[in-house]
Amino acid sequence: MEINITVNGNSVAIQLHQYWSLLDVLRDSLGLTGAKRGCDRGECGSCTVLLDGKPVNACQVLASRVDGTNVATIEGLASGGILSELQQSYLDEDGGQCGFCTPGFVMATRALLNTNPTPTDDEVLEALSGNLCRCNAYGRILASVRTAIEREA
């Protein structure tokens, strides 16, 4: 089976098996390894990407269902080798201690800031509630989001 999707602004046609997840396609077919395979159950958020602008757990989305959609991954946020303000904020505020969960948090944050550029702390916490950090860096993650809000204002 073949699907046609746009990933980070680039149109691609992909041959796949009907049981592949979007995460399989991103990591194994396209070499985009930013979205991580954590729990493979949609519980940790480390595989969060934006599907038509909405955050999804890529491990839980059948690739055969995304034909004709737009997918944004962590790799698509940087431009010309320069990190986006959001990515730089996470780096500057040490929002990704070990880094495993960071791409998922960044993408969930991007989705939030795309729809609400000045969220309250409670709105941030709600938007990121589907993402888990095993290092318990939640304070640094919240600081990262606050810094991104200031920089993107």
Side-chain angles (χ1 to χ4, degrees):
M1 135 176 265
E2 181 177 285
I3 62 167
N4 295 287
I5 59 177
T6 301
V7 180
N8 298 328
N10 300 308
S11 296
V12 293
I14 301 161
Q15 291 290 327
L16 54 88
H17 293 283
Q18 63 185 7
Y19 56 85
W20 283 3
S21 70
L22 177 57
L23 184 61
D24 294 327
V25 168
L26 294 173
R27 291 182 63 82
D28 301 334
S29 296
L30 299 177
L32 298 172
T33 58
K36 305 295 186 236
R37 187 176 307 280
C39 66
D40 222 13
R41 295 180 181 179
E43 296 174 359
C44 73
S46 63
C47 64
T48 301
V49 298
L50 304 186
L51 181 62
D52 289 334
K54 299 191 183 321
V56 298
N57 292 321
C59 71
Q60 295 298 294
V61 176
L62 277 175
S64 60
R65 306 284 233 155
V66 301
D67 189 41
T69 62
N70 289 296
V71 178
T73 70
I74 189 81
E75 291 90 347
L77 295 184
S79 178
I82 298 172
L83 296 177
S84 69
E85 292 290 352
L86 176 58
Q87 291 170 304
Q88 191 63 51
S89 295
Y90 267 81
L91 184 62
D92 292 346
E93 296 293 343
D94 197 24
Q97 287 182 3
C98 81
F100 191 83
C101 68
T102 307
F105 272 100
V106 170
M107 294 310 292
T109 303
R110 179 74 279 149
L112 171 65
L113 298 182
N114 284 349
T115 59
N116 182 358
T118 56
T120 64
D121 284 354
D122 285 343
E123 290 170 325
V124 170
L125 295 173
E126 176 66 28
L128 301 183
S129 65
N131 296 74
L132 300 176
C133 174
R134 290 173 178 89
C135 298
N136 200 25
Y138 296 107
R140 302 305 330 147
I141 291 167
L142 186 55
S144 300
V145 176
R146 287 180 188 138
T147 297
I149 291 167
E150 291 173 14
R151 289 179 179 175
E152 291 185 0

